[in-house]
Amino acid sequence: KQEVTQIPAALSVPEGENLVLNCSFTDSAIYNLQWFRQDPGKGLTSLLLIQSSQREQTSGRLNASLDKSSGRSTLYIAASQPGDSATYLCAVKVDTGTASKLTFGTGTRLQVTL
Amino acid sequence: EAQVTQNPRYLITVTGKKLTVTCSQNMNHEYMSWYRQDPGLGLRQIYYSMNVEVTDKGDVPEGYKVSRKEKRNFPLILESPSPNQTSLYFCASGRQGLNGYTFGSGTRLTVV
């Protein structure tokens, strides 16, 4: 059974710092990995999608890497801003053609302080 | 605008009173799914559908029903809600294969 772990559970950093969020998964037979952002009481916003054959994806100040063989992904946020404060979730996708699901980690709650 | 729309956003109901949470997507996606989110447990899949008239159980299907009569709609039905179904519910849609999923804004359900 696929298990996804995110460390740390919570993180507080001062504005301007670069930071790394970690995601690990137990079964490397994934189709892709997706990073989401969730604001309190709100829905999930997709940030980056990495296919199993890719090593990294970038969008603005965000860079996500994937090492499928070791079951790890990182989300790097450069020059953090108070508006980056949210919970960040990673999810791995298994898609066999007859079944498809995302397995989520429990998230890292990020607070960027002034 | 491409989106997944859930209704209602908030719902308070009493134990045993049947309810339906609707989900609709305008992206012609084959795949749709329901998740619930609980503190400390993360998001867990309830049911999913690979296409019209094709549905299957996820990790926590007990107490829920779904139907997929049309490609765009995937309602979640609670025939007899109980307090342990108090949660934040998300609907998602996507294409099979390489693509990611798009999520709705969520439905916060409270069963008293």
Side-chain angles (χ1 to χ4, degrees), chain A residues 80-100:
Chain A
S80 58
Q81 303 170 357
D84 294 330
S85 298
T87 296
Y88 291 81
L89 299 163
C90 72
V92 297
K93 180 181 182 183
V94 173
D95 191 336
T96 66
T98 57
S100 183

Side-chain angles (χ1 to χ4, degrees), chain A residues 98-110:
Chain A
T98 57
S100 183
K101 68 180 294 185
L102 288 180
T103 300
F104 283 84
T106 51
T108 294
R109 190 170 65 252
L110 172 67

Side-chain angles (χ1 to χ4, degrees), chain A residues 31-32 34 36 38 41-44 46 49 51 89 93 95 97-102 104-106, chain B residues 31 35 37 40-43 45 48 50 59 88 90 95-101 103-105 108:
Chain A
Y31 219 80
N32 58 41
Q34 200 166 355
F36 295 89
Q38 184 177 26
K42 299 290 178 64
L44 279 69
S46 180
L49 172 69
Q51 304 301 337
L89 299 163
K93 180 181 182 183
D95 191 336
T98 57
S100 183
K101 68 180 294 185
L102 288 180
F104 283 84
T106 51
Chain B
Y31 175 86
Y35 291 81
Q37 185 178 34
L41 297 176
L43 281 101
Q45 190 183 50
Y48 65 93
M50 302 294 280
D59 297 320
L88 181 59
F90 288 102
R95 297 194 189 283
Q96 287 181 248
L98 299 177
N99 300 281
Y101 293 161
F103 280 76
S105 299
R108 185 168 292 284

Side-chain angles (χ1 to χ4, degrees), chain B residues 2-75:
Chain B
Q3 59 186 357
V4 177
T5 303
Q6 294 178 229
N7 280 296
R9 290 294 308 279
Y10 302 92
L11 179 59
I12 301 174
T13 190
V14 296
T15 298
K17 185 177 182 181
K18 181 179 178 180
L19 67 91
T20 300
V21 184
T22 64
C23 174
S24 180
Q25 51 94 3
N26 61 2
M27 296 166 279
N28 201 37
H29 286 163
E30 301 88 8
Y31 175 86
M32 298 185 75
S33 182
W34 279 101
Y35 291 81
R36 60 177 289 175
Q37 185 178 34
D38 301 289
L41 297 176
L43 281 101
R44 295 175 292 167
Q45 190 183 50
I46 304 171
Y47 268 95
Y48 65 93
S49 170
M50 302 294 280
N51 215 322
V52 175
E53 302 291 2
V54 180
T55 63
D56 208 346
K57 297 176 180 179
D59 297 320
V60 288
E62 295 78 18
Y64 304 95
K65 285 175 57 177
V66 292
S67 69
R68 188 88 182 275
K69 294 185 172 60
E70 306 164 284
K71 199 171 189 178
R72 64 184 291 124
N73 296 322
F74 190 46

Side-chain angles (χ1 to χ4, degrees), chain A residues 67-87:
Chain A
D67 184 343
K68 199 175 80 159
S69 61
S70 67
R72 296 177 189 274
S73 175
T74 62
L75 179 67
Y76 174 82
I77 302 177
S80 58
Q81 303 170 357
D84 294 330
S85 298
T87 296

Side-chain angles (χ1 to χ4, degrees), chain A residues 19-80:
Chain A
L19 60 102
V20 175
L21 307 181
N22 296 293
C23 172
S24 61
F25 47 95
T26 55
D27 186 347
S28 62
I30 64 169
Y31 219 80
N32 58 41
L33 184 147
Q34 200 166 355
W35 281 93
F36 295 89
R37 169 187 172 134
Q38 184 177 26
D39 293 287
K42 299 290 178 64
L44 279 69
T45 301
S46 180
L47 298 173
L48 288 164
L49 172 69
I50 312 178
Q51 304 301 337
S52 61
S53 59
Q54 297 176 323
R55 297 286 290 183
E56 65 179 282
Q57 282 287 331
T58 298
S59 175
R61 294 183 294 110
L62 306 180
N63 176 278
S65 69
L66 174 64
D67 184 343
K68 199 175 80 159
S69 61
S70 67
R72 296 177 189 274
S73 175
T74 62
L75 179 67
Y76 174 82
I77 302 177
S80 58

